[in-house]
Amino acid sequence: MSSSSMAMPSYGYEGDASLAHAHTDEDASPAEIAVGVIIGRSSEYFDFFVFGIACVLVFPQLLFPFLSPLAGTLAAFAIFALAFIARPFGTALFMAVQRRWGRGTKLTLALFLLGSSTVSMALLPAYDSVGMVAIAALIVLRVGQGVALGGSWDGLPSLLAMAAPKERRGWYAMVGQLGAPAGFVLAASLFAYLYGQLTHEEFLAWGWRYPFCVAFAINVVALFARLRLVVGQSYAELLEDKELEPMGAAQLMRDEGGNVFLGAFAALASFALFHLVTIFPLSWISLYSERSMTEVLGVQIAGAVLAALAIMLSGRLADRIGRRKLLGGMAVLIGLFSLAAPWLLGGGVAGSNAFLLIGFVLLGLSYGQSAGTVTSNFSAHYRYTGAALSSDLAWLFGAAFAPLVALGLSSRFGLGAVSVYLLSGAVCTLAALRINRLIEQRG
């Protein structure tokens, strides 16, 4: 999983009306760009959430039967993190592909790799059949997902944001983020239905494979929806006019690496919360309670719907008080939520439900405006690549190891470890926003 988006668009531009007049009869309208962004992000999140849920419900028994349930889940979470480690390398690789063969070729290859890696997981044999080969295959396919996700950045969210009127930048900033709850609802719904309708043996034998197959079909739809936009002549010209073109990752890090890290840490609070309300609670409840997983997934689906509404609300709030103020305020609220997290998650059915629902609302409000909050610091010709790498590092530092660390430490030291993890993300966000403000004042 954003993850996105799991890509972080750059929203630090002055709005203009050029996009509104750019389309022709052959090209899509600005509204269609928004739809394309949501479809693209939803497909990416769906792939990652399918994997994350399987790390709790499937892989510990399918691939790690020789380990305890806790150890097997931790091993699955370690593989889960590999995609986020691979993602920056995928960004660098596919930026080179785009410079040589174009945006359409890059996007086609990236989404083909993403869909193929995901659907191939549906064909994995069990450990009891082929031993360590099954685990090695999953590792390779998971790295493939990460590399592909790094290459799926198409610049459309940046273009959409650049066309936003100044007074509506917050609203446009949240559009791509809606893909996260949409992808989660679809993935969780499929697993909840299959887990509830099949016997345990049927689910482990073949039922869990169906969501991975669905991912390929969704990726095909997303590919055509996005290619319809990125190959349009007028939008290609706009992307070029706005200097939304790929730069070498090494050159970017050499010249403006500080801005990359600043952009990553500015969003860390929401990224740290991301997997602590989606994947981690599912694992904790599965291991340490008798609750039905179908019931828990149902609560999370309701939470994701609330998160979608909160994302849209964040657009309104950001346009009224400013996106950075909203992000800073949400970091404070996430910090306060972290103090109550152990009490809520350990408080039985009512407490864990409250943890999930409140957490999803906070996630929506913060994640809705976490994208590209400080990427206006980049020089114009670095913004395209800088936005992508800032997102990669935000996912890596904030979300990649969240389920692994939270479950590992909580199982040993108690749920207070969740508080420490969330609080550290909130502190990083507040510090990065403060540093960015000082930089702007000096500028």
Side-chain angles (χ1 to χ4, degrees):
M1 328 171 324
S2 308
S3 26
S4 92
S5 24
M6 284 175 131
M8 189 183 324
S10 173
Y11 293 120
Y13 307 97
E14 293 297 325
D16 58 53
S18 58
L19 185 59
H21 303 289
H23 65 279
T24 67
D25 292 338
E26 291 78 20
D27 291 314
S29 67
E32 288 176 309
I33 289 187
V35 173
V37 169
I38 294 173
I39 290 175
R41 299 297 175 260
S42 298
S43 69
E44 295 164 3
Y45 282 109
F46 175 78
D47 285 18
F48 269 58
F49 280 129
V50 163
F51 190 95
I53 295 173
C55 284
V56 177
L57 301 183
V58 179
F59 296 148
Q61 300 173 68
L62 186 78
L63 299 179
F64 303 102
F66 53 91
L67 298 176
S68 68
L70 172 61
T73 305
L74 291 173
F77 282 162
I79 298 176
F80 176 81
L82 293 177
F84 300 96
I85 298 173
R87 180 172 168 171
F89 298 97
T91 294
L93 172 63
F94 279 96
M95 287 293 176
V97 171
Q98 182 176 340
R99 290 197 302 273
R100 182 161 185 176
W101 290 292
R103 184 177 288 104
T105 299
K106 181 193 80 166
L107 189 60
T108 301
L109 292 175
L111 290 187
F112 180 79
L113 176 59
L114 179 61
S116 298
S117 297
T118 304
V119 76
S120 295
M121 293 175 182
L123 306 177
L124 279 175
Y127 177 87
D128 292 338
S129 300
V130 296
M132 293 299 294
V133 173
I135 299 174
L138 182 64
I139 290 173
V140 171
L141 294 174
R142 182 58 176 169
V143 171
Q145 280 188 322
V147 172
L149 192 63
S152 66
W153 171 243
D154 51 24
L156 287 175
S158 293
L159 184 58
L160 184 63
M162 290 171 69
K166 184 177 181 180
E167 67 277 7
R168 299 201 66 195
R169 289 179 187 168
W171 180 258
Y172 277 79
M174 68 83 190
V175 170
Q177 311 300 69
L178 289 171
F184 182 83
V185 166
L186 182 55
S189 297
L190 278 172
F191 269 107
Y193 176 79
L194 293 167
Y195 197 83
Q197 295 298 314
L198 303 176
T199 66
H200 185 67
E201 292 73 19
E202 290 173 335
F203 179 78
L204 284 181
W206 58 267
W208 68 271
R209 303 176 189 272
Y210 180 71
F212 286 86
C213 294
V214 171
F216 187 80
I218 292 177
N219 272 278
V220 171
V221 174
L223 173 61
F224 283 103
R226 294 164 76 177
L227 284 178
R228 163 77 169 81
L229 300 170
V230 301
V231 301
Q233 182 63 30
S234 61
Y235 290 115
E237 292 173 355
L238 273 175
L239 289 166
E240 184 176 353
D241 291 342
K242 299 299 182 182
E243 300 188 70
L244 294 179
E245 295 297 328
M247 301 293 294
Q251 182 180 354
L252 167 67
M253 296 304 296
R254 182 179 66 248
D255 295 343
E256 300 194 20
N259 289 333
V260 173
F261 284 97
L262 191 62
F265 282 103
L268 212 61
S270 60
F271 281 77
L273 183 61
F274 199 93
H275 286 144
L276 291 185
V277 297
T278 54
I279 305 304
F280 163 71
L282 196 62
S283 66
W284 180 266
I285 294 172
S286 172
L287 290 168
Y288 296 106
S289 81
E290 299 298 324
R291 290 188 67 182
S292 163
M293 286 295 97
T294 303
E295 177 189 342
V296 176
L297 285 170
V299 175
Q300 288 188 306
I301 291 168
V305 173
L306 293 178
L309 297 175
I311 287 174
M312 290 187 282
L313 177 60
S314 77
R316 298 295 187 188
L317 292 174
D319 287 333
R320 183 165 296 183
I321 67 174
R323 287 187 293 126
R324 294 180 192 178
K325 286 184 180 180
L326 177 60
L327 192 58
M330 292 311 304
V332 173
L333 289 180
I334 290 172
L336 294 175
F337 176 70
S338 72
L339 301 179
W343 175 72
L344 290 174
L345 196 53
V349 173
S352 59
N353 286 349
F355 172 86
L356 292 172
L357 296 177
I358 295 172
F360 268 106
V361 171
L362 292 176
L363 177 63
L365 289 171
S366 59
Y367 187 66
Q369 297 300 314
S370 66
T373 304
V374 301
T375 48
S376 57
N377 294 344
F378 289 107
S379 302
H381 60 288
Y382 280 130
R383 281 173 175 164
Y384 181 84
T385 306
L389 282 179
S390 293
S391 173
D392 294 343
L393 295 184
W395 283 108
L396 178 59
F397 298 149
F401 299 97
L404 176 65
V405 172
L407 180 60
L409 293 181
S410 295
S411 64
R412 184 174 179 85
F413 302 108
L415 287 169
V418 178
S419 295
V420 175
Y421 195 95
L422 276 177
L423 195 58
S424 66
V427 169
C428 287
T429 288
L430 292 172
L433 291 175
R434 176 60 178 169
I435 293 171
N436 185 69
R437 184 177 180 182
L438 292 175
I439 291 174
E440 287 187 342
Q441 290 174 344
R442 292 176 183 176

